[in-house]
Every structure is written in structure tokens, then in C-alpha cells.
Amino acid sequence: MSDDENQFEQGNAGSSHTYTESAGSLKKGGYVMLKGHPCKITDVSTSKAGKHGHAKASIVGKDIFTNKTYEDSAPTSHNIDVPFVTKKEYTVMDVQADGFVILLNEDGSTKEDLKLPETEDDFKLVQEIREQFDAGKDLLISVLSAMGEEKIVGCREAQDK
């Protein structure tokens, strides 16, 4: 066997955007996949086991990207998908007229593929970002990431170090 026969491609090893958790252990404020959407749990209730069945968890959540409400139920002993959700802060370098923002990573590289949110629910946030940036303030923007999507969810004025 030669050395080139053992060459494998390095990749993400099939890493997923979700992991599983028991439906009975989900808590309000956590995250869960409901009807294929990453949601923040707004309500969880459990019913006790019936004569011929398992205890069930009824889960209500809001999509973290669209704010749309979804509901689902599952036996508490069954596993349910939970998205990996991360929140990261970036320094704002520019807010462009077309809604795209240019952000600065901690390593000094720029991120230019993110647009200001366009839903009615985010109107105040977008207005605040534009007003503070136009006033010349140094801003930090919070970006929520899950399932390969990203959304700007907050901003604050950067503190001098």
C-alpha cells in the first residue's frame, strides 16, 4: 500500500446544525427545531401518561429569524432536534444604503455578507443602528447564527478600553 492510497479529504466530518435532546428536558427560553425551523421556546407543558400512551410535551416557540410562532408535541421520552445557536458581536465599519453592513471580526478580517433585518418586528433595531452609525458612534452588532443562517439581533455602543 502506498502513502497516497491513505489520503483522505479533510472536511467537517458530517457535522450537523443540530443535536438531539429528550423532549421532556426542554425548558422555556431554550432552543428547539419546530416544523423544520430553529425556534426559541416560549412555552412548554407536559401532560401525564394516559392509559395507553406516553407523557407528552407540548412545545410552542418563535422562529429566531422570522418571529413566526410554531407548535409541536412529542412524547417526553423521545428525542427532538435542537439547533446549535451562537451569538457573536462584530464592530460596525459601514452601513450601506442598500442595507448591507460591513463588519469587523476580532481577527481583523471583514464580513460583508450580512444585511440589516427587513421584518416589521426589526424596524426599531434597524432605525437605531442607522441613527447611531450616522451620529458617528462606534457600534457593536450582535449576530445570531443557526442552521447556516445569520441575523442581526441587537446593537450597543462600543465601550472604550
Side-chain angles (χ1 to χ4, degrees):
M1 220 185 208
S2 71
D3 283 339
D4 359 72
E5 288 181 41
N6 291 331
Q7 296 298 317
F8 296 103
E9 250 185 72
Q10 294 288 321
N12 64 5
S15 67
S16 176
H17 293 294
T18 63
Y19 62 96
T20 58
E21 192 171 312
S22 166
S25 65
L26 296 172
K27 304 278 183 243
K28 186 176 180 176
Y31 296 99
V32 68
M33 293 297 294
L34 295 176
K35 310 268 193 232
H37 300 272
C39 297
K40 187 167 190 167
I41 300 170
T42 57
D43 188 41
V44 178
S45 58
T46 53
S47 61
K48 60 184 182 176
K51 186 175 179 182
H52 299 290
H54 300 281
K56 288 205 186 251
S58 294
I59 307 153
V60 179
K62 284 195 173 207
D63 186 309
I64 58 177
F65 297 117
T66 64
N67 239 6
K68 193 172 176 186
T69 301
Y70 292 95
E71 294 182 45
D72 207 353
S73 63
T76 56
S77 59
H78 289 194
N79 284 340
I80 192 163
D81 285 335
V82 176
F84 287 106
V85 178
T86 58
K87 194 172 189 179
K88 192 172 177 185
E89 281 193 328
Y90 298 93
T91 303
V92 178
M93 294 180 65
D94 191 19
V95 178
Q96 299 177 329
D98 61 3
F100 280 93
V101 290
I102 299 176
L103 305 172
L104 183 65
N105 279 308
E106 288 178 3
D107 65 5
S109 63
T110 59
K111 179 174 180 57
E112 302 178 14
D113 60 349
L114 206 53
K115 201 169 185 177
L116 290 170
E118 296 175 336
T119 64
E120 280 185 40
D121 297 336
D122 298 309
F123 179 76
K124 283 185 179 178
L125 172 63
V126 171
Q127 193 175 18
E128 181 184 356
I129 291 169
R130 286 192 184 278
E131 284 175 3
Q132 289 194 25
F133 183 78
D134 290 345
K137 295 182 178 174
D138 290 334
L139 288 180
L140 291 176
I141 283 190
S142 299
V143 177
L144 203 62
S145 304
M147 304 297 294
E149 286 187 61
E150 294 181 309
K151 181 182 178 186
I152 296 171
V153 294
C155 79
R156 65 182 179 91
E157 195 171 345
Q159 303 297 315
D160 291 333
K161 292 182 180 179

PDB file of all heavy atoms in Angstrom, residues 40-68:
ATOM      1  N   LYS A  40     -36.996  29.713  19.462  1.00  0.00           N
ATOM      2  CA  LYS A  40     -36.779  29.935  20.883  1.00  0.00           C
ATOM      3  C   LYS A  40     -38.065  29.525  21.581  1.00  0.00           C
ATOM      4  O   LYS A  40     -39.152  29.961  21.199  1.00  0.00           O
ATOM      5  CB  LYS A  40     -36.451  31.397  21.163  1.00  0.00           C
ATOM      6  CG  LYS A  40     -36.048  31.634  22.602  1.00  0.00           C
ATOM      7  CD  LYS A  40     -35.431  32.993  22.800  1.00  0.00           C
ATOM      8  CE  LYS A  40     -34.834  33.059  24.185  1.00  0.00           C
ATOM      9  NZ  LYS A  40     -33.963  34.205  24.326  1.00  0.00           N
ATOM     10  N   ILE A  41     -37.941  28.674  22.581  1.00  0.00           N
ATOM     11  CA  ILE A  41     -39.115  28.127  23.259  1.00  0.00           C
ATOM     12  C   ILE A  41     -39.792  29.204  24.100  1.00  0.00           C
ATOM     13  O   ILE A  41     -39.160  29.825  24.945  1.00  0.00           O
ATOM     14  CB  ILE A  41     -38.728  26.919  24.140  1.00  0.00           C
ATOM     15  CG1 ILE A  41     -38.111  25.820  23.276  1.00  0.00           C
ATOM     16  CG2 ILE A  41     -39.933  26.390  24.902  1.00  0.00           C
ATOM     17  CD1 ILE A  41     -37.476  24.685  24.068  1.00  0.00           C
ATOM     18  N   THR A  42     -41.099  29.414  23.845  1.00  0.00           N
ATOM     19  CA  THR A  42     -41.866  30.389  24.628  1.00  0.00           C
ATOM     20  C   THR A  42     -42.750  29.708  25.660  1.00  0.00           C
ATOM     21  O   THR A  42     -43.138  30.325  26.639  1.00  0.00           O
ATOM     22  CB  THR A  42     -42.744  31.277  23.718  1.00  0.00           C
ATOM     23  OG1 THR A  42     -43.598  30.439  22.942  1.00  0.00           O
ATOM     24  CG2 THR A  42     -41.889  32.132  22.807  1.00  0.00           C
ATOM     25  N   ASP A  43     -43.077  28.422  25.428  1.00  0.00           N
ATOM     26  CA  ASP A  43     -43.905  27.692  26.382  1.00  0.00           C
ATOM     27  C   ASP A  43     -43.705  26.188  26.204  1.00  0.00           C
ATOM     28  O   ASP A  43     -43.641  25.703  25.077  1.00  0.00           O
ATOM     29  CB  ASP A  43     -45.392  28.040  26.174  1.00  0.00           C
ATOM     30  CG  ASP A  43     -46.284  27.455  27.264  1.00  0.00           C
ATOM     31  OD1 ASP A  43     -45.879  27.498  28.448  1.00  0.00           O
ATOM     32  OD2 ASP A  43     -47.361  26.945  26.929  1.00  0.00           O
ATOM     33  N   VAL A  44     -43.594  25.487  27.329  1.00  0.00           N
ATOM     34  CA  VAL A  44     -43.512  24.025  27.331  1.00  0.00           C
ATOM     35  C   VAL A  44     -44.456  23.528  28.406  1.00  0.00           C
ATOM     36  O   VAL A  44     -44.430  23.998  29.540  1.00  0.00           O
ATOM     37  CB  VAL A  44     -42.088  23.517  27.671  1.00  0.00           C
ATOM     38  CG1 VAL A  44     -42.053  22.005  27.719  1.00  0.00           C
ATOM     39  CG2 VAL A  44     -41.071  24.020  26.689  1.00  0.00           C
ATOM     40  N   SER A  45     -45.329  22.577  28.031  1.00  0.00           N
ATOM     41  CA  SER A  45     -46.195  21.967  29.040  1.00  0.00           C
ATOM     42  C   SER A  45     -46.187  20.467  28.810  1.00  0.00           C
ATOM     43  O   SER A  45     -46.033  19.999  27.679  1.00  0.00           O
ATOM     44  CB  SER A  45     -47.613  22.537  28.950  1.00  0.00           C
ATOM     45  OG  SER A  45     -48.147  22.331  27.663  1.00  0.00           O
ATOM     46  N   THR A  46     -46.318  19.727  29.893  1.00  0.00           N
ATOM     47  CA  THR A  46     -46.334  18.273  29.773  1.00  0.00           C
ATOM     48  C   THR A  46     -47.650  17.736  30.304  1.00  0.00           C
ATOM     49  O   THR A  46     -48.206  18.241  31.276  1.00  0.00           O
ATOM     50  CB  THR A  46     -45.164  17.619  30.547  1.00  0.00           C
ATOM     51  OG1 THR A  46     -45.183  18.084  31.883  1.00  0.00           O
ATOM     52  CG2 THR A  46     -43.837  17.956  29.925  1.00  0.00           C
ATOM     53  N   SER A  47     -48.145  16.718  29.617  1.00  0.00           N
ATOM     54  CA  SER A  47     -49.348  16.033  30.087  1.00  0.00           C
ATOM     55  C   SER A  47     -48.909  14.682  30.617  1.00  0.00           C
ATOM     56  O   SER A  47     -47.949  14.097  30.129  1.00  0.00           O
ATOM     57  CB  SER A  47     -50.339  15.858  28.939  1.00  0.00           C
ATOM     58  OG  SER A  47     -49.753  15.073  27.920  1.00  0.00           O
ATOM     59  N   LYS A  48     -49.614  14.192  31.631  1.00  0.00           N
ATOM     60  CA  LYS A  48     -49.188  12.918  32.200  1.00  0.00           C
ATOM     61  C   LYS A  48     -49.608  11.770  31.286  1.00  0.00           C
ATOM     62  O   LYS A  48     -50.473  11.922  30.430  1.00  0.00           O
ATOM     63  CB  LYS A  48     -49.736  12.740  33.612  1.00  0.00           C
ATOM     64  CG  LYS A  48     -51.225  12.755  33.750  1.00  0.00           C
ATOM     65  CD  LYS A  48     -51.602  12.657  35.216  1.00  0.00           C
ATOM     66  CE  LYS A  48     -53.112  12.631  35.364  1.00  0.00           C
ATOM     67  NZ  LYS A  48     -53.506  12.443  36.741  1.00  0.00           N
ATOM     68  N   ALA A  49     -48.965  10.650  31.490  1.00  0.00           N
ATOM     69  CA  ALA A  49     -49.205   9.484  30.651  1.00  0.00           C
ATOM     70  C   ALA A  49     -50.653   9.031  30.767  1.00  0.00           C
ATOM     71  O   ALA A  49     -51.239   9.015  31.844  1.00  0.00           O
ATOM     72  CB  ALA A  49     -48.264   8.352  31.063  1.00  0.00           C
ATOM     73  N   GLY A  50     -51.213   8.668  29.629  1.00  0.00           N
ATOM     74  CA  GLY A  50     -52.583   8.155  29.612  1.00  0.00           C
ATOM     75  C   GLY A  50     -52.583   6.642  29.769  1.00  0.00           C
ATOM     76  O   GLY A  50     -51.550   6.015  30.000  1.00  0.00           O
ATOM     77  N   LYS A  51     -53.735   6.066  29.620  1.00  0.00           N
ATOM     78  CA  LYS A  51     -53.902   4.629  29.806  1.00  0.00           C
ATOM     79  C   LYS A  51     -53.042   3.837  28.816  1.00  0.00           C
ATOM     80  O   LYS A  51     -52.481   2.802  29.167  1.00  0.00           O
ATOM     81  CB  LYS A  51     -55.383   4.274  29.616  1.00  0.00           C
ATOM     82  CG  LYS A  51     -55.735   2.844  29.911  1.00  0.00           C
ATOM     83  CD  LYS A  51     -57.237   2.663  29.808  1.00  0.00           C
ATOM     84  CE  LYS A  51     -57.622   1.217  30.079  1.00  0.00           C
ATOM     85  NZ  LYS A  51     -59.070   1.017  29.928  1.00  0.00           N
ATOM     86  N   HIS A  52     -52.942   4.303  27.579  1.00  0.00           N
ATOM     87  CA  HIS A  52     -52.208   3.560  26.566  1.00  0.00           C
ATOM     88  C   HIS A  52     -51.053   4.342  25.958  1.00  0.00           C
ATOM     89  O   HIS A  52     -50.636   4.041  24.850  1.00  0.00           O
ATOM     90  CB  HIS A  52     -53.155   3.157  25.425  1.00  0.00           C
ATOM     91  CG  HIS A  52     -54.267   2.272  25.864  1.00  0.00           C
ATOM     92  ND1 HIS A  52     -54.065   0.983  26.252  1.00  0.00           N
ATOM     93  CD2 HIS A  52     -55.585   2.524  26.004  1.00  0.00           C
ATOM     94  CE1 HIS A  52     -55.227   0.448  26.595  1.00  0.00           C
ATOM     95  NE2 HIS A  52     -56.173   1.381  26.460  1.00  0.00           N
ATOM     96  N   GLY A  53     -50.551   5.337  26.631  1.00  0.00           N
ATOM     97  CA  GLY A  53     -49.522   6.141  25.967  1.00  0.00           C
ATOM     98  C   GLY A  53     -48.502   6.731  26.900  1.00  0.00           C
ATOM     99  O   GLY A  53     -48.504   6.495  28.095  1.00  0.00           O
ATOM    100  N   HIS A  54     -47.633   7.512  26.283  1.00  0.00           N
ATOM    101  CA  HIS A  54     -46.556   8.198  26.997  1.00  0.00           C
ATOM    102  C   HIS A  54     -47.010   9.585  27.450  1.00  0.00           C
ATOM    103  O   HIS A  54     -47.958  10.135  26.919  1.00  0.00           O
ATOM    104  CB  HIS A  54     -45.361   8.397  26.053  1.00  0.00           C
ATOM    105  CG  HIS A  54     -44.787   7.131  25.513  1.00  0.00           C
ATOM    106  ND1 HIS A  54     -43.958   6.330  26.234  1.00  0.00           N
ATOM    107  CD2 HIS A  54     -44.921   6.531  24.302  1.00  0.00           C
ATOM    108  CE1 HIS A  54     -43.590   5.293  25.499  1.00  0.00           C
ATOM    109  NE2 HIS A  54     -44.175   5.389  24.307  1.00  0.00           N
ATOM    110  N   ALA A  55     -46.251  10.153  28.397  1.00  0.00           N
ATOM    111  CA  ALA A  55     -46.453  11.563  28.741  1.00  0.00           C
ATOM    112  C   ALA A  55     -46.000  12.377  27.525  1.00  0.00           C
ATOM    113  O   ALA A  55     -45.032  12.018  26.855  1.00  0.00           O
ATOM    114  CB  ALA A  55     -45.632  11.925  29.964  1.00  0.00           C
ATOM    115  N   LYS A  56     -46.697  13.465  27.222  1.00  0.00           N
ATOM    116  CA  LYS A  56     -46.356  14.277  26.054  1.00  0.00           C
ATOM    117  C   LYS A  56     -45.941  15.674  26.469  1.00  0.00           C
ATOM    118  O   LYS A  56     -46.459  16.227  27.429  1.00  0.00           O
ATOM    119  CB  LYS A  56     -47.550  14.379  25.102  1.00  0.00           C
ATOM    120  CG  LYS A  56     -47.841  13.104  24.363  1.00  0.00           C
ATOM    121  CD  LYS A  56     -48.572  13.424  23.077  1.00  0.00           C
ATOM    122  CE  LYS A  56     -48.987  12.155  22.401  1.00  0.00           C
ATOM    123  NZ  LYS A  56     -48.279  11.836  21.221  1.00  0.00           N
ATOM    124  N   ALA A  57     -44.999  16.209  25.702  1.00  0.00           N
ATOM    125  CA  ALA A  57     -44.581  17.590  25.883  1.00  0.00           C
ATOM    126  C   ALA A  57     -45.149  18.406  24.732  1.00  0.00           C
ATOM    127  O   ALA A  57     -44.963  18.052  23.570  1.00  0.00           O
ATOM    128  CB  ALA A  57     -43.063  17.684  25.891  1.00  0.00           C
ATOM    129  N   SER A  58     -45.882  19.466  25.054  1.00  0.00           N
ATOM    130  CA  SER A  58     -46.370  20.404  24.034  1.00  0.00           C
ATOM    131  C   SER A  58     -45.432  21.595  24.047  1.00  0.00           C
ATOM    132  O   SER A  58     -45.221  22.220  25.093  1.00  0.00           O
ATOM    133  CB  SER A  58     -47.791  20.854  24.350  1.00  0.00           C
ATOM    134  OG  SER A  58     -48.672  19.764  24.257  1.00  0.00           O
ATOM    135  N   ILE A  59     -44.872  21.912  22.892  1.00  0.00           N
ATOM    136  CA  ILE A  59     -43.838  22.937  22.796  1.00  0.00           C
ATOM    137  C   ILE A  59     -44.303  24.041  21.854  1.00  0.00           C
ATOM    138  O   ILE A  59     -44.772  23.772  20.752  1.00  0.00           O
ATOM    139  CB  ILE A  59     -42.526  22.332  22.254  1.00  0.00           C
ATOM    140  CG1 ILE A  59     -42.121  21.117  23.093  1.00  0.00           C
ATOM    141  CG2 ILE A  59     -41.414  23.363  22.237  1.00  0.00           C
ATOM    142  CD1 ILE A  59     -41.309  20.112  22.340  1.00  0.00           C
ATOM    143  N   VAL A  60     -44.183  25.291  22.310  1.00  0.00           N
ATOM    144  CA  VAL A  60     -44.506  26.459  21.492  1.00  0.00           C
ATOM    145  C   VAL A  60     -43.240  27.301  21.415  1.00  0.00           C
ATOM    146  O   VAL A  60     -42.562  27.519  22.426  1.00  0.00           O
ATOM    147  CB  VAL A  60     -45.653  27.292  22.118  1.00  0.00           C
ATOM    148  CG1 VAL A  60     -45.967  28.516  21.256  1.00  0.00           C
ATOM    149  CG2 VAL A  60     -46.892  26.444  22.319  1.00  0.00           C
ATOM    150  N   GLY A  61     -42.912  27.770  20.217  1.00  0.00           N
ATOM    151  CA  GLY A  61     -41.715  28.584  20.064  1.00  0.00           C
ATOM    152  C   GLY A  61     -41.850  29.571  18.930  1.00  0.00           C
ATOM    153  O   GLY A  61     -42.721  29.442  18.070  1.00  0.00           O
ATOM    154  N   LYS A  62     -40.970  30.578  18.955  1.00  0.00           N
ATOM    155  CA  LYS A  62     -40.935  31.587  17.885  1.00  0.00           C
ATOM    156  C   LYS A  62     -39.663  31.389  17.083  1.00  0.00           C
ATOM    157  O   LYS A  62     -38.574  31.281  17.648  1.00  0.00           O
ATOM    158  CB  LYS A  62     -40.945  33.001  18.468  1.00  0.00           C
ATOM    159  CG  LYS A  62     -42.293  33.422  18.955  1.00  0.00           C
ATOM    160  CD  LYS A  62     -42.333  34.916  19.185  1.00  0.00           C
ATOM    161  CE  LYS A  62     -43.755  35.306  19.504  1.00  0.00           C
ATOM    162  NZ  LYS A  62     -44.064  36.642  19.140  1.00  0.00           N
ATOM    163  N   ASP A  63     -39.829  31.359  15.749  1.00  0.00           N
ATOM    164  CA  ASP A  63     -38.692  31.237  14.839  1.00  0.00           C
ATOM    165  C   ASP A  63     -37.716  32.381  15.137  1.00  0.00           C
ATOM    166  O   ASP A  63     -38.122  33.546  15.188  1.00  0.00           O
ATOM    167  CB  ASP A  63     -39.188  31.303  13.393  1.00  0.00           C
ATOM    168  CG  ASP A  63     -38.102  31.036  12.370  1.00  0.00           C
ATOM    169  OD1 ASP A  63     -37.033  31.671  12.454  1.00  0.00           O
ATOM    170  OD2 ASP A  63     -38.328  30.203  11.478  1.00  0.00           O
ATOM    171  N   ILE A  64     -36.450  32.060  15.326  1.00  0.00           N
ATOM    172  CA  ILE A  64     -35.477  33.090  15.719  1.00  0.00           C
ATOM    173  C   ILE A  64     -35.139  34.042  14.578  1.00  0.00           C
ATOM    174  O   ILE A  64     -34.574  35.101  14.812  1.00  0.00           O
ATOM    175  CB  ILE A  64     -34.187  32.475  16.310  1.00  0.00           C
ATOM    176  CG1 ILE A  64     -33.517  31.538  15.319  1.00  0.00           C
ATOM    177  CG2 ILE A  64     -34.479  31.771  17.612  1.00  0.00           C
ATOM    178  CD1 ILE A  64     -32.198  30.950  15.810  1.00  0.00           C
ATOM    179  N   PHE A  65     -35.510  33.684  13.331  1.00  0.00           N
ATOM    180  CA  PHE A  65     -35.226  34.561  12.202  1.00  0.00           C
ATOM    181  C   PHE A  65     -36.447  35.327  11.714  1.00  0.00           C
ATOM    182  O   PHE A  65     -36.328  36.465  11.280  1.00  0.00           O
ATOM    183  CB  PHE A  65     -34.621  33.757  11.046  1.00  0.00           C
ATOM    184  CG  PHE A  65     -33.297  33.127  11.408  1.00  0.00           C
ATOM    185  CD1 PHE A  65     -33.160  31.753  11.417  1.00  0.00           C
ATOM    186  CD2 PHE A  65     -32.209  33.896  11.767  1.00  0.00           C
ATOM    187  CE1 PHE A  65     -31.955  31.165  11.765  1.00  0.00           C
ATOM    188  CE2 PHE A  65     -30.999  33.325  12.118  1.00  0.00           C
ATOM    189  CZ  PHE A  65     -30.874  31.948  12.116  1.00  0.00           C
ATOM    190  N   THR A  66     -37.647  34.721  11.787  1.00  0.00           N
ATOM    191  CA  THR A  66     -38.848  35.380  11.252  1.00  0.00           C
ATOM    192  C   THR A  66     -39.842  35.807  12.328  1.00  0.00           C
ATOM    193  O   THR A  66     -40.792  36.518  12.040  1.00  0.00           O
ATOM    194  CB  THR A  66     -39.597  34.437  10.284  1.00  0.00           C
ATOM    195  OG1 THR A  66     -40.071  33.308  11.021  1.00  0.00           O
ATOM    196  CG2 THR A  66     -38.715  33.998   9.142  1.00  0.00           C
ATOM    197  N   ASN A  67     -39.654  35.342  13.553  1.00  0.00           N
ATOM    198  CA  ASN A  67     -40.548  35.630  14.681  1.00  0.00           C
ATOM    199  C   ASN A  67     -41.912  34.949  14.549  1.00  0.00           C
ATOM    200  O   ASN A  67     -42.830  35.268  15.291  1.00  0.00           O
ATOM    201  CB  ASN A  67     -40.734  37.140  14.875  1.00  0.00           C
ATOM    202  CG  ASN A  67     -40.299  37.574  16.253  1.00  0.00           C
ATOM    203  OD1 ASN A  67     -39.768  36.794  17.029  1.00  0.00           O
ATOM    204  ND2 ASN A  67     -40.533  38.833  16.566  1.00  0.00           N
ATOM    205  N   LYS A  68     -42.073  34.046  13.599  1.00  0.00           N
ATOM    206  CA  LYS A  68     -43.322  33.320  13.410  1.00  0.00           C
ATOM    207  C   LYS A  68     -43.440  32.237  14.482  1.00  0.00           C
ATOM    208  O   LYS A  68     -42.460  31.591  14.839  1.00  0.00           O
ATOM    209  CB  LYS A  68     -43.327  32.692  12.009  1.00  0.00           C
ATOM    210  CG  LYS A  68     -44.655  32.186  11.552  1.00  0.00           C
ATOM    211  CD  LYS A  68     -44.587  31.758  10.084  1.00  0.00           C
ATOM    212  CE  LYS A  68     -45.915  31.157   9.670  1.00  0.00           C
ATOM    213  NZ  LYS A  68     -45.860  30.595   8.314  1.00  0.00           N
TER     214      LYS A  68
END
